[in-house]
Amino acid sequence: MQGSACCQRPPHPANAGAVIKVFILLLFCRHADSQCKILRCNSQYLAATENLDDSDATGARCDALRAYSSCTRRTARTCRGNLAYHSAVYGIEDLMIQNNCSREGPTSLPQPPQPPPDHQGFTSLDICDYEKSFARKHGRPPAYQHCAAFGDPHVRTFRDQFHTCQVEGSWPLLDNNYLYVQATSSPVVKGSNATAISKLTVIFKNMKECIDEKVYQAEIDNLPVSFVDGSMNGGARPGGSSLVIYERTPGRHVEIRAAHVGTTIAVRQAGRQLSFSIRAAEEVALSFTDEQDLQLCVGGCPPSQRISRSKVDGSGALEKARLLCKEKLPVEDVYFQACVFDVATSGDASFILAARGALEDGEAYHPDVKKLHIFHTDRAMRPCSSPLLIFTSVILVCRMHFYW
C-alpha cells in the first residue's frame, strides 16, 4: 500500500512550486557553456512563478511554462550537448503534463505583483542593507571573514589557513544559504601539471524583499560587467540596488557588492588565469548545513588534494622566481611563497600579478590587518600571522606546535 502511494501524483499541483524551485536550483549548479543562455531562461521562469497564488497558479504557470519552452527553443543551437539545457527541456515537458498545460496559448511571462507603497519611508530598504539591519538588531557592527583563491591554485580560508591545491575540474568555494561560488581549474598549458582557475560561477540566491536570483559567470578573456541575464543589479524589487557590479579595470578586475548580505566579491584576470576574493559577513559565511560541508573557503582543500610548495625542481628556476616575485611582493609571506612556487613550476610571470592582486584584495577585505600576512613553513598547516616579518624563533615554535 505504501509503495503504490509513492507512485501516485498529487491530485492538485499545490506543491509544484517547491518541486519546480528545487528542480531549477539543481540546473543552476550544472555546467553551462558561456554561449548557452539556459540560465537566463531559468531565471525568467523562477521570477515569473515565485509569487503565484493557488487561485490563479495553474493558468499563470502554464503561461510561464510555454514562455520557458519558447526560451529554450531560441537557445537550442548554442546549447546542444549542454546537460543543463537538456535537463530543462525534459523538465518542462513533465511540468506541462503535471499542470495539464496545452502547447497552444499565451507565452508572455506573468508579471510579479508590485509591492504596496512603503508608508514608513526607507524601513523596507534597510532590510536590504545587512550592516544597518545587523547594527540595529545587535547594537554593534557585524564581524567579517575573508577568503581568496588564486594561482595554481592557492586557497586562503575564512580561518586564515593557506593551502596549495592539486585540483582540476570544478570545486565549490562557497555553498551556503545566500551564495554559491564554483571555481573550475584547467591546465595552464596543454600537458602541464600547473593548473589555474579558468572559470568562476557566482550565484546570489533569491532574497524575497531584496533581489531576484542572479548568476554571474566569468571566463578567461570574458569578465562581464553584468549578470547572465544582462542586468547589472539585483532586479526590479525595492532593494534591487543592494546588489551591483562595478568594473574596476576593463577586462581585468570586476567587483560585485552585495549589501543585502554584507558581502563584496572581486574577480580578477592575470594572464590566462582568474582569481577570486571575498569579504563576507561572518553570519552569512557560516549559514550552511552539514550537507554543504565541501567548501574550499571553509575547510580548505581536502587533505588528499594538498601539495607541498617546496617541491620545485631546479635551484636556478627557484632563485629566478624569487627575484621576480620579490619586486612585487617584498614581504616573504605565503603570497610570496605562492608566487615563487607558481613562477618556478610554470615559467609564467603572470602568476606574479595574480599573487599581487590577491594580496591587494586581502588588504582591502581582511577584517584584521594584523592577520593579513601569514608566515609558516610549507609543511605547517597552522599559520603564524603578524603584521611584520616573523623571527626565526617564532617559526620554530609554530613548527613544534604542529608536530605536537
Side-chain angles (χ1 to χ4, degrees), residues 136-262:
R136 185 183 298 110
K137 182 178 180 181
H138 301 281
R140 60 177 177 82
Y144 289 94
Q145 295 187 339
H146 169 59
C147 170
F150 66 97
D152 183 19
H154 313 281
V155 176
R156 180 178 186 143
T157 72
F158 285 136
R159 293 184 294 173
D160 291 324
Q161 295 175 319
F162 196 90
H163 298 156
T164 297
C165 312
Q166 186 175 356
V167 294
E168 188 172 342
S170 298
W171 291 77
L173 294 172
L174 281 173
D175 182 10
N176 59 45
N177 296 338
Y178 303 95
L179 291 165
Y180 179 84
V181 181
Q182 178 176 279
T184 300
S185 295
S186 306
V188 176
V189 293
K190 189 174 182 180
S192 171
N193 291 326
T195 61
I197 299 174
S198 57
K199 182 176 181 180
L200 281 165
T201 301
V202 183
I203 300 177
F204 295 90
K205 299 181 181 181
N206 173 71
M207 191 167 176
K208 186 176 181 180
E209 302 88 350
C210 303
I211 69 160
D212 303 324
E213 183 158 276
K214 294 291 180 178
V215 180
Y216 179 80
Q217 286 188 334
E219 295 183 273
I220 301 298
D221 296 330
N222 183 22
L223 266 64
V225 196
S226 65
F227 297 105
V228 295
D229 63 1
S231 65
M232 297 176 66
N233 57 35
R237 301 185 187 187
S241 61
S242 63
L243 176 61
V244 184
I245 300 180
Y246 298 94
E247 186 175 50
R248 296 307 184 195
T249 305
R252 288 291 179 265
H253 184 191
V254 169
E255 188 173 79
I256 307 174
R257 293 189 178 181
H260 67 294
V261 288

Side-chain angles (χ1 to χ4, degrees), residues 152-154 163-167 193 301-311 341 378 381:
D152 183 19
H154 313 281
H163 298 156
T164 297
C165 312
Q166 186 175 356
V167 294
N193 291 326
C301 304
S304 62
Q305 299 294 319
R306 299 174 192 174
I307 58 177
S308 171
R309 290 189 298 277
S310 63
K311 295 180 179 179
F341 174 83
D378 181 67
M381 289 294 104

Side-chain angles (χ1 to χ4, degrees), residues 373-392:
H373 297 290
I374 301 174
F375 302 85
H376 60 57
T377 58
D378 181 67
R379 295 183 64 190
M381 289 294 104
R382 297 181 183 181
C384 292
S385 301
S386 170
L388 303 173
L389 289 173
I390 299 299
F391 294 102
T392 304

Side-chain angles (χ1 to χ4, degrees), residues 337-366:
Q337 294 174 11
C339 176
V340 172
F341 174 83
D342 291 346
V343 175
T345 55
S346 70
D348 187 348
S350 68
F351 279 102
I352 302 172
L353 298 179
R356 178 63 196 179
L359 176 60
E360 291 176 358
D361 289 337
E363 292 170 343
Y365 294 165
H366 200 289

